[in-house]
Amino acid sequence: MSRLVIVSNRVPVPDKGGIAPAGGLAVALKAALEERGGIWMGWSGKSSGEHEPQPLARLQQGNITYALTDLTDTDVEEYYHGFANRVLWPICHYRLDLAEYGRKEMAGYFRVNRFFAHRLAPLIEPDDLIWVHDYHLIPLAAELRQMGLKNRIGFFLHIPWPPADVLFTMPVHEQIMRGLSHYDVVGFQTDHDLENFAGCLRREGIGDELGEGRYSAHGRTFKGGAYPISIETAAFAEFAQRAATNSMVKKARQSIEGRSLIIGVDRLDYSKGITQRIDAFERFILANPAQQGRVTYLQITPKSRSEVPEYEAMQRTVAEQAGRVNGALSAVDWVPIRYINRSVGRHVLAGLYRLGKVGLVTPLRDGMNLVAKEYVAAQNPDDPGVLVLSRFAGAARELKGSLLVNPYDIEGTANAMARALSMPLEERKERWEMMMDHLLEHDVSRWCRDFLKDLAP
């Protein structure tokens, strides 16, 4: 069996006790690495300032080598904050108004990918499988090919892939498309993303669809496929059941006694539709006076990329909006929105999901959205909650038992909340079982196996 080499922008390094950070993706990739042996390489998250980074820092855990590199301040600013998060991220989420293209940042993005390639290449053995993750590292295969590597290299995009008219607004779209053609397998979250990618090839006249998932572009033939990422479903369900005894979860349950809980959990990002969601909750309360004092909306939103001005501004906007709604609707014994602007441990989150009568997952655009899948997995089979899900999340392609909404339609989302809270038990069970059966079969381990099966020669 070929050794596996995973490359991602950040690496979930185990702590001194050998415990890796929790999370379905980290669990699945770590399991694949343990089975095959291999390397997980990426940025340490640290800066070397103005000095050239030291050689790779390596940590051995069993038959896995974690290989980490620092980046200079200039690299971090241009590659990470600049091109990756202020050009690729907004464009892939259809937010052309927020894309700030600069030649300096574009050059930094390609330069850091070349730097990664030069640090990675000496570690590679001839039959290694290389699996590159996400939008930060699209040009990496091209750089490795230029250095003479013939290995099988796969790429998985965790965020959406936009249609041609959106992608082509980016001045370097040709280089990005060319970069993807150097992989042997290019994986997307959904069939819609794959269709958008094929449309970009056709529109630009740079490639052909050969059938059976094969594509040709820039003189290379490669496979393109949809591989919907998932969670460790059975383990998370057990996790949520055990979380009921957690002291913080117990306090939360006592604090909402007699009230229904609506829960939203999102990283603070403009793609998540948080402001529209708060508007929809306000509309729901105003349209359903009987619910005043009988429902609590808990929004957990850890800070995100606060070095990027758009995110700092958004943090203020969301806090002000939640404050305005609470000021207008609160009673002496009831605050409608509880807004938490910090991280909550996954063990506590699992218990809070289980308390939620409604899971509110309404991004304006999302590659997949694993919160939707975690919410479903966390439910009590005897009394499951209802998932209200944006039709623009990748998860909507799979979770057919959810109530699908258009997050731009404030009234429609408010009506979905009302429907979810009044839904009979039998219908809730039927919808939940349909989604849970799917998630048990299509868990994160299967996602990992399916991709590696296509990547292996």
Side-chain angles (χ1 to χ4, degrees):
M1 186 183 286
S2 301
R3 205 173 63 144
L4 181 60
V5 177
I6 290 171
V7 193
S8 57
N9 178 57
R10 297 298 295 272
V11 180
V13 181
D15 62 21
K16 287 177 182 171
I19 299 170
L25 176 64
V27 168
L29 294 180
K30 185 168 180 281
L33 279 166
E34 282 171 346
E35 183 185 352
R36 291 171 172 268
I39 298 166
W40 196 333
M41 186 251 182
W43 176 34
S44 64
K46 298 174 186 169
S47 169
S48 60
E50 296 175 9
H51 304 290
E52 186 68 18
Q54 294 291 315
L56 281 172
R58 300 196 203 183
L59 170 68
Q60 193 71 32
Q61 286 276 340
N63 58 352
I64 304 174
T65 303
Y66 294 89
L68 304 172
T69 183
D70 295 348
L71 295 173
T72 66
D73 284 347
T74 302
D75 288 342
V76 174
E77 188 54 42
E78 293 176 2
Y79 148 79
Y80 182 69
H81 296 315
F83 192 80
N85 286 323
R86 296 178 82 173
V87 179
L88 280 175
W89 177 272
I91 281 176
C92 286
H93 288 86
Y94 299 56
R95 290 300 303 270
L96 304 184
D97 57 316
L98 295 177
E100 294 182 24
Y101 175 79
R103 289 200 172 278
K104 188 175 66 168
E105 286 76 18
M106 177 274 290
Y109 176 75
F110 285 92
R111 182 184 67 246
V112 170
N113 271 270
R114 194 172 309 121
F115 171 76
F116 266 61
H118 281 274
R119 296 219 140 181
L120 178 64
L123 311 179
I124 302 297
E125 295 171 4
D127 63 344
D128 285 348
L129 291 180
I130 304 172
W131 191 2
V132 180
H133 286 265
D134 228 2
Y135 60 104
H136 313 83
L137 300 171
I138 291 172
L140 187 62
E143 297 292 346
L144 291 170
R145 299 289 184 214
Q146 202 166 342
M147 296 173 71
L149 268 72
K150 308 281 192 215
N151 299 62
R152 298 275 297 174
I153 310 178
F155 176 81
F156 183 75
L157 184 70
H158 291 257
I159 66 176
W161 185 266
D165 280 343
V166 175
L167 184 76
F168 293 174
T169 61
M170 182 169 57
V172 289
H173 68 268
E174 288 179 42
Q175 291 97 309
I176 293 295
M177 292 293 291
R178 185 184 292 273
L180 288 172
S181 72
H182 285 276
Y183 290 94
D184 296 290
V185 179
V186 180
F188 299 94
Q189 295 278 22
T190 70
D191 53 340
H192 288 171
D193 297 314
L194 182 60
E195 284 167 17
N196 284 344
F197 174 72
C200 290
L201 289 177
R202 285 193 301 271
R203 275 279 297 278
E204 197 72 344
I206 58 170
D208 290 313
E209 200 168 340
L210 306 176
E212 297 183 346
R214 310 296 298 172
Y215 297 85
S216 69
H218 299 292
R220 296 194 80 257
T221 301
F222 56 94
K223 178 176 172 57
Y227 305 87
I229 199 169
S230 195
I231 61 169
E232 71 284 31
T233 312
F236 195 82
E238 196 178 314
F239 199 42
Q241 192 175 357
R242 288 202 311 270
T245 60
N246 179 279
S247 59
M248 280 186 70
V249 175
K250 280 181 176 174
K251 283 179 187 170
R253 188 189 301 111
Q254 288 162 3
S255 74
I256 58 163
E257 197 66 52
R259 297 190 178 106
S260 299
L261 180 67
I262 296 176
I263 185 167
V265 178
D266 307 83
R267 196 167 48 76
L268 186 67
D269 190 282
Y270 49 74
S271 66
K272 301 299 183 183
I274 299 169
T275 56
Q276 289 86 348
R277 191 183 309 168
I278 293 173
D279 283 344
F281 177 75
E282 181 182 26
R283 185 77 56 90
F284 158 70
I285 293 294
L286 292 174
N288 297 273
Q291 291 287 358
Q292 292 197 19
R294 297 180 59 187
V295 63
T296 295
Y297 167 30
L298 172 62
Q299 178 63 52
I300 299 171
T301 306
K303 293 177 185 178
S304 164
R305 300 175 191 153
S306 46
E307 306 87 347
V308 179
E310 291 85 355
Y311 290 84
E312 198 178 347
M314 191 190 165
Q315 189 174 321
R316 286 194 303 273
T317 300
V318 173
E320 286 167 6
Q321 190 182 11
R324 179 189 60 75
V325 173
N326 280 338
L329 298 180
S330 290
V332 173
D333 60 346
W334 175 61
V335 177
I337 301 175
R338 297 184 188 180
Y339 176 58
I340 298 177
N341 190 207
R342 59 182 174 81
S343 294
V344 173
R346 203 160 180 251
H347 58 296
V348 175
L349 267 185
L352 295 175
Y353 286 141
R354 198 174 176 90
L355 290 179
K357 294 292 181 190
V358 179
L360 208 48
V361 183
T362 56
L364 306 179
R365 185 72 54 179
D366 222 333
M368 178 52 62
N369 196 300
L370 295 181
V371 166
K373 295 187 174 185
E374 288 180 345
Y375 175 78
V376 171
Q379 294 311 295
N380 178 351
D382 297 324
D383 187 20
V386 179
L387 176 63
V388 174
L389 179 62
S390 164
R391 62 176 60 257
F392 303 124
R397 302 293 294 150
E398 298 179 85
L399 301 178
K400 305 298 186 188
S402 61
L403 293 182
L404 286 187
V405 296
N406 172 0
Y408 295 94
D409 178 1
I410 303 302
E411 195 163 330
T413 305
N415 291 341
M417 290 184 215
R419 184 181 169 197
L421 285 170
S422 62
M423 189 179 289
L425 177 61
E426 282 312 305
E427 185 182 351
R428 282 191 278 128
K429 279 185 173 180
E430 192 178 316
R431 286 172 173 272
W432 175 79
E433 283 165 7
M434 183 196 314
M435 295 189 288
M436 190 62 174
D437 287 349
H438 176 86
L439 291 180
L440 285 167
E441 186 180 345
H442 298 87
D443 65 0
V444 71
S445 298
R446 171 158 174 179
W447 165 80
C448 194
R449 285 195 310 272
D450 286 351
F451 191 96
L452 290 175
K453 186 176 75 176
D454 285 349
L455 182 58

